[in-house]
Amino acid sequence: MSDYKYHRVLLKLSGEALMGSSDYGIDPQMLERLAHEIKVPYDKGVQIAIVVGGGNIFRGLAGAASGMDRAQADCMGMLATVMNSLALQDCFERHGMMCRVMSAIEMHEVAEGYIRRRATRHLEKGRITIFAAGTGNPYFTTDTAAALRACEIDAEILMKATKVDGIYDMDPVTHPEATKFDSITYLDVLTRDLKVMDATATALCHDNHMPMMVFNIEQPGVFDKALRGEPVGTTVVEEEC
Ligand code: UDP
């Protein structure tokens, strides 16, 4: 455990991270890979909280674009995150990791309700704690839920797992000449409109001095390396060092 720089982390997984190579839903192989990644620091006693998105199943904005009421569509998006959370919990438990799902929307038969003090107790007892249903409010994203929960549980860092190995000055998929930042300030993320996290989440981290890191979860061992303080991905800092 002393090898680790961070001892309590909030990991944000996008819904896409569960999709693997498919274009919808949950890929069981991807769940297995995630479980292997997470088990290494889990076994060493790192306290791991997770917020998972729902974009692999349903996004409120897409529903609104096709004519649905936005708040109603967002409720569907939040329910999608619950399905992802249950899938992760099932996989983690099969790999011998204790895990609790806490939902921001009450659904007692399916998951515990979110209570901050109970969440930190779960973490202290070595249970991976998954925060489902985002913030419980429409018009928000799971990035914002991740920033909010990271602050609430006193996480030392918010790690955002994506399919890109850090933050670039432009989209590296469409611009091969894009340059990667090793570190960048919150202010730069906001003013350059880098779309790595939504502005609400970035501002919340900035205002509450919550460090943030972005890396590619598809690189084997990257989560463990990040927790050990090794230079991976991009770190978002308050001021340029
Ligand atoms: N959502 C919401 N409030 C929240 C979090 C999420 O209404 O606090 C809804 C919203 O419709 C969003 C969907 O849940 O599109 C899935 O979340 P998100 O898009 O953040 O997932 P990700 O992109 O990380 O897969």
Side-chain angles (χ1 to χ4, degrees):
M1 184 66 172
S2 54
D3 300 348
Y4 285 89
K5 178 174 180 187
Y6 302 108
H7 304 97
R8 179 177 290 179
V9 60
L10 192 137
L11 176 66
K12 162 71 206 297
L13 294 170
S14 66
E16 274 188 1
L18 272 53
M19 228 161 50
S21 48
S22 5
D23 52 11
Y24 179 82
I26 301 170
D27 176 359
Q29 277 185 345
M30 203 54 217
L31 289 181
E32 290 290 317
R33 281 183 51 192
L34 283 170
H36 281 111
E37 286 293 313
I38 287 166
K39 192 158 171 30
V40 179
Y42 170 88
D43 282 342
K44 292 280 192 294
V46 177
Q47 296 183 12
I48 302 165
I50 296 178
V51 166
V52 62
N56 56 323
I57 299 172
F58 194 85
R59 274 184 214 282
L61 269 178
S66 63
M68 280 188 79
D69 173 73
R70 168 73 192 269
Q72 183 86 343
D74 278 341
C75 287
M76 291 174 66
M78 286 188 274
L79 293 178
T81 73
V82 179
M83 287 202 259
N84 285 334
S85 301
L86 295 179
L88 282 173
Q89 181 184 36
D90 173 76
C91 188
F92 292 163
E93 287 179 344
R94 278 188 285 109
H95 284 81
M97 294 181 268
M98 292 188 293
C99 180
R100 296 288 186 273
V101 175
M102 305 189 102
S103 172
I105 296 173
E106 282 192 23
M107 46 178 90
H108 302 301
E109 289 78 3
V110 173
E112 291 177 33
Y114 172 72
I115 297 173
R116 187 180 65 86
R117 284 172 184 276
R118 192 172 285 172
T120 51
R121 191 82 190 108
H122 284 325
L123 290 168
E124 284 160 7
K125 288 191 166 183
R127 298 166 182 153
I128 295 176
T129 308
I130 305 178
F131 301 123
T135 64
N137 299 289
Y139 297 97
F140 286 94
T141 65
T142 50
D143 279 356
T144 300
L148 174 66
R149 296 292 186 242
C151 295
E152 284 186 280
I153 62 163
D154 283 326
E156 291 159 292
I157 188 162
L158 164 55
M159 293 186 178
K160 177 162 172 165
T162 66
K163 287 183 162 186
V164 181
D165 65 343
I167 304 176
Y168 284 76
D169 56 352
M170 42 192 142
D171 186 348
V173 179
T174 47
H175 297 84
E177 73 280 19
T179 316
K180 186 182 144 223
F181 298 101
D182 289 332
S183 78
I184 186 170
T185 64
Y186 294 104
L187 224 53
D188 269 347
V189 171
L190 287 171
T191 50
R192 288 168 174 247
D193 196 18
L194 289 176
K195 306 251 184 282
V196 50
M197 273 228 168
D198 65 72
T200 313
T202 309
L204 199 57
C205 285
H206 177 240
D207 290 352
N208 294 286
H209 315 288
M210 175 60 61
M212 203 168 94
M213 193 185 268
V214 178
F215 53 72
N216 181 355
I217 193 70
E218 293 183 352
Q219 290 174 348
V222 72
F223 181 46
D224 196 61
K225 282 187 190 152
L227 287 166
R228 290 174 186 273
E230 291 180 30
V232 295
T234 301
T235 310
V236 186
V237 293
E238 286 186 53
E239 281 173 23
E240 208 61 83
C241 330

